[in-house]
Amino acid sequence: MEFTETQKQRLRELGYKGEFPELDTKEEVNEAYSQLEKKLRKKHRKKLNDLFESKKPTWKNTVENIRQNLQDLGFIEVQTPLIISKNLLKKMKIDQKSDLMNQVYRINDNKVLRPMLAQNLYKELENFSKLSNRDTIQLFEIGTCFRKEKGGKDHLNEFKMLNAVELGNFKDKEKRLKEVISTLFKDFDEYVLEKEKSTVYGETYDVLVNGTELASCAIGPHQLDEKWDINRPWIGIGIGIERFTRELNNSDSTVKAYGRSFVYQDGIRLDIK
């Protein structure tokens, strides 16, 4: 006999990733389930005790480390609005014909919750470039974005993003991008770079850890640049903080466990007895 779907779902919610055994009787199934659930609940209680001791969640460490690493590379942190004009998305070629527009939370006819940080950093690059004659401008933001995602273990409706962009006269843009990636991913034993196709940027580099995409990177000039009066080469990287935190901690939990929630805190399932 197999575990029931309810039992399987409960174990997955507690972070179980193993195989579900087939046993001879219902009693054996229930006993196996009980033992697995007990072991997982114990694991979550230990993590909660560790959080009480440390006073700092792991996602906070992730954000602080990324912030420090970027500042060490010369980047300046900015903060931009959560509520933006739909016109900013149109400048990114995200309109009613775009699949991404169907995922946008609308506030009214003109305002939306930002689904990503790229358009905001484009705007700030434009502003900084007009006021400064520096050869290099490096900006980053760590903040919340919103999308009507359909679910899945790696997607959230409300999630934290890191976007960083460097504008300058590069001798080797790809080399510089890899230097930034190497700094941000230095705490991982291994990561993989793969070229991908993007709706907005055309060709991008994805950074994968254990087969999961943690970052997407782009290199300019790009056809969107002229809409923002950007006329120099640039490199950019975006990182999903929840995914990054989960993989950095070798967690078995879904990405939801590291997002904003009443059910989870810092990978810990709270609705257990």
Side-chain angles (χ1 to χ4, degrees):
M1 294 188 66
E2 295 184 349
F3 284 23
T4 67
E5 289 303 316
T6 300
Q7 289 173 330
K8 290 178 181 179
Q9 180 62 27
R10 177 59 174 170
L11 293 176
R12 292 190 189 103
E13 289 172 351
L14 292 172
Y16 183 70
K17 287 188 176 181
E19 297 293 327
F20 296 103
E22 290 191 24
L23 301 169
D24 293 332
T25 66
K26 182 177 180 180
E27 288 73 20
E28 288 178 331
V29 168
N30 289 337
E31 177 62 23
Y33 167 77
S34 177
Q35 291 300 317
L36 277 173
E37 189 197 33
K38 182 178 179 181
K39 181 179 178 180
L40 290 167
R41 283 191 282 113
K42 183 178 180 180
K43 181 178 179 180
H44 281 269
R45 286 197 186 91
K46 181 182 183 305
K47 290 173 68 176
L48 182 60
N49 285 331
D50 291 343
L51 179 58
F52 275 116
E53 292 296 323
S54 70
K55 305 296 190 296
K56 183 185 288 186
T58 55
W59 67 261
K60 187 70 172 179
N61 286 325
T62 298
V63 169
E64 290 180 355
N65 289 339
I66 288 176
R67 178 178 285 118
Q68 188 60 59
N69 287 334
L70 286 169
Q71 289 173 343
D72 290 344
L73 288 170
F75 285 79
I76 297 171
E77 185 170 10
V78 299
Q79 56 179 358
T80 63
L82 296 175
I83 300 172
I84 62 172
S85 165
K86 286 172 63 176
N87 289 332
L88 287 182
L89 295 183
K90 289 180 180 178
K91 289 178 75 171
M92 298 293 290
K93 292 190 174 181
I94 299 171
D95 54 25
Q96 298 302 327
K97 298 179 181 178
S98 170
D99 290 338
L100 182 55
M101 184 58 80
N102 294 326
Q103 295 178 287
V104 171
Y105 285 97
R106 294 169 173 82
I107 294 176
N108 56 39
D109 290 341
N110 298 314
K111 299 292 185 180
V112 301
L113 293 177
R114 64 185 185 189
M116 57 187 185
L117 295 176
Q119 71 287 326
N120 291 31
L121 286 191
Y122 250 133
K123 182 63 178 176
E124 287 300 81
L125 270 187
E126 180 183 30
N127 292 336
F128 273 64
S129 296
K130 287 177 179 178
L131 287 174
S132 172
N133 57 4
R134 289 177 175 271
D135 290 335
T136 301
I137 297 176
Q138 300 161 280
L139 305 177
F140 77 94
E141 180 169 15
I142 301 173
T144 304
C145 297
F146 306 84
R147 292 187 193 178
K148 295 177 183 178
E149 295 284 3
K150 295 180 180 179
K153 66 183 182 68
D154 289 330
H155 294 92
L156 297 169
N157 297 124
E158 185 178 354
F159 55 95
K160 292 185 287 293
M161 281 291 299
L162 167 278
N163 263 43
V165 62
E166 181 173 332
L167 181 73
N169 300 314
F170 299 95
K171 291 182 180 180
D172 189 331
K173 293 178 291 184
E174 188 170 314
K175 180 180 179 181
R176 176 56 177 165
L177 176 60
K178 289 180 178 179
E179 288 174 351
V180 174
I181 293 170
S182 176
T183 298
L184 294 178
F185 282 78
K186 63 184 179 182
D187 292 327
F188 288 97
D189 293 331
E190 186 178 8
Y191 61 85
V192 176
L193 289 181
E194 288 187 357
K195 287 187 177 182
E196 291 289 340
K197 294 294 182 181
S198 164
T199 303
V200 175
Y201 293 110
E203 185 174 83
T204 62
Y205 288 91
D206 286 351
V207 185
L208 284 73
V209 174
N210 298 323
T212 298
E213 176 197 332
L214 301 190
S216 185
C217 314
I219 295 176
H222 187 271
Q223 60 182 352
L224 291 175
D225 293 0
E226 63 178 342
K227 294 180 179 291
W228 309 88
D229 292 328
I230 303 299
N231 53 22
R232 283 186 285 165
W234 56 268
I235 61 167
I237 180 170
I239 292 176
I241 298 298
E242 289 87 358
R243 293 189 196 183
F244 193 96
T245 303
R246 182 187 65 182
E247 295 301 324
L248 191 60
N249 288 279
N250 296 312
S251 174
D252 292 332
S253 298
T254 69
V255 71
K256 295 177 182 178
Y258 290 94
R260 295 179 183 273
S261 173
F262 292 120
V263 178
Y264 292 100
Q265 281 297 323
D266 200 38
I268 304 162
R269 185 87 186 190
L270 299 178
D271 60 344
I272 57 176
K273 296 180 180 179

